[in-house]
Amino acid sequence: MQIADLEALCERLALTPRTFLAAWVTQAEYTIALIPKKNGRGTRRLAIPHPDLRTFQARLNDRLLMRLPAPPFVHGSVRGRSFVTHARAHVNAKAAFVIDLADAFTQATPMRLLLALATIELVPEVARVVVSMTTHEGGLPQGAPSSNALWNLVCRTLDERASEFARKNSLTYTRYTDELIFSHAKHISRDLRRNLIVLVRSCGFLENRAKVHYQHLRQGYLQITGVSVGEGRKRLTKATIRKYRGFIHHAALDWSIAAERVESTIAHIRHVHGGSLPSQIETAYRHYLRGRALNH
């Protein structure tokens, strides 16, 4: 059913006119925060929306965007999918070509977003309002709850062309946010890799050259979003295991870290490893549990 005006949009998002107006008048109000990157190299810039604006963005995300059907090869910001399912799609591959998109959210310009929203149920007038309330400084802000799902819409043409190219060349294609993976049961030729870069650029995107790379099982397990895959199996990379082990050691010393957070991490690791824990994680977790038992 088409959303023909702002009243219909508010109804779909379960927002009162007053709540919508409060979000509208704060659409330019963002707080900038710099947080350390997970790899410890540099910082990531977040633009955190005003609470009233965030309410609108969260409702848009939960009540509209996340309910849109997603193609099977998209794994980021899709219910029931994750970086684990993204990696799992390539467990039987021997070769993988990874293309990371450069400054992804800044490539999602207001015009691109308008064109993407035209593919769903918003009339142009409503789409323009949504764009003005979900973009900041000419792109999608990292820190807004609607950005990841809107990014998936912006990538629809890229996804369609990439999946068709993959089908014609016996490749498996998946995308997790700004990471594109093309894998094959044997190898991926240089010509195919060049053509994939051309395809990405022809869709109006630029690759992050520092993160574009080719992997083959001859060099070890394929590494996809922190998960090692190959020979029909998947497991966390050594770097990811070290990171989680460090977190659990820290949690054993810092009682301000909620037990639920630790247990969630352990459940996630078990999920990747088919129910078991890597020995380094299991040792750290036992130490953590002993410490908890002694202090209760």
Side-chain angles (χ1 to χ4, degrees):
M1 181 174 154
Q2 194 173 55
I3 299 176
D5 52 34
L6 293 181
E7 183 179 355
L9 179 65
C10 287
E11 184 177 347
R12 174 66 68 87
L13 305 185
L15 291 172
T16 65
R18 185 172 182 175
T19 303
F20 174 82
L21 182 60
W24 172 260
V25 299
T26 61
Q27 63 181 276
E29 296 185 27
Y30 286 81
T31 300
I32 304 303
L34 298 177
I35 63 171
K37 290 185 177 180
K38 291 181 179 179
N39 61 13
R41 302 171 186 170
T43 58
R44 190 158 63 100
R45 184 178 185 270
L46 297 184
I48 303 169
H50 184 282
D52 291 333
L53 181 60
R54 181 179 177 83
T55 296
F56 170 82
Q57 294 170 344
R59 291 288 182 89
L60 178 74
N61 186 67
D62 296 341
R63 293 177 175 267
L64 179 61
L65 300 175
M66 292 295 286
R67 298 185 184 188
L68 297 172
F73 39 78
V74 176
H75 291 263
S77 298
V78 177
R79 288 192 176 102
R81 303 179 202 170
S82 66
F83 73 94
V84 178
T85 60
H86 172 59
R88 185 189 298 153
H90 306 279
V91 292
N92 294 312
K94 289 187 177 179
F97 187 46
V98 182
I99 302 176
D100 194 271
L101 300 179
D103 302 319
F105 282 8
T106 63
Q107 295 192 55
T109 62
M111 181 54 67
R112 265 191 167 162
L113 196 50
L114 272 175
L115 293 173
L117 290 172
T119 65
I120 62 173
E121 49 201 298
L122 303 183
V123 299
E125 294 78 11
V126 175
R128 282 194 286 271
V129 170
V130 169
V131 169
S132 70
M133 297 177 72
T134 55
T135 56
H136 180 63
E137 297 179 344
L140 290 170
Q142 290 195 52
S146 52
S147 289
N148 283 329
L150 288 170
W151 170 251
N152 281 344
L153 279 181
V154 169
C155 288
R156 273 192 172 179
T157 299
L158 170 63
D159 286 332
E160 289 168 0
R161 292 188 58 187
S163 64
E164 180 63 13
F165 183 96
R167 185 187 66 79
K168 289 180 177 178
N169 292 278
S170 301
L171 301 172
T172 297
Y173 167 68
T174 62
R175 179 177 60 80
Y176 186 82
T177 312
D178 56 358
E179 181 184 83
L180 285 61
I181 304 288
F182 299 87
S183 71
H184 191 269
K186 293 183 179 179
H187 70 277
I188 303 174
S189 69
R190 289 181 182 272
D191 284 343
L192 273 184
R193 284 179 261 160
R194 278 194 291 266
N195 289 338
L196 285 168
I197 293 294
V198 170
L199 184 152
V200 168
R201 293 176 181 174
S202 71
C203 292
F205 295 95
L206 295 175
E207 75 281 7
N208 182 343
R209 293 185 180 182
K211 292 186 177 181
V212 173
H213 58 282
Y214 179 60
Q215 307 177 53
H216 197 279
L217 275 183
R218 288 191 299 265
Q219 304 158 333
Y221 281 96
L222 308 179
Q223 297 190 8
I224 299 172
T225 51
V227 179
S228 295
V229 299
E231 300 176 345
R233 295 181 294 174
K234 65 182 186 301
R235 60 190 66 190
L236 294 172
T237 63
K238 291 180 180 179
T240 304
I241 288 174
R242 285 195 298 270
K243 181 186 74 173
Y244 284 139
R245 183 182 61 186
F247 165 69
I248 295 167
H249 275 310
H250 182 60
L253 302 172
D254 184 355
W255 298 107
S256 67
I257 297 175
E260 292 79 6
R261 186 179 167 194
V262 176
E263 294 303 327
S264 175
T265 299
I266 292 296
H268 159 69
I269 297 169
R270 290 189 192 278
H271 176 59
V272 176
H273 282 257
S276 63
L277 292 175
S279 58
Q280 307 97 309
I281 298 293
E282 186 168 6
T283 300
Y285 184 47
R286 285 177 178 173
H287 176 72
Y288 164 82
L289 291 176
R290 283 196 298 269
R292 282 280 178 179
L294 291 172
N295 284 272
H296 279 81

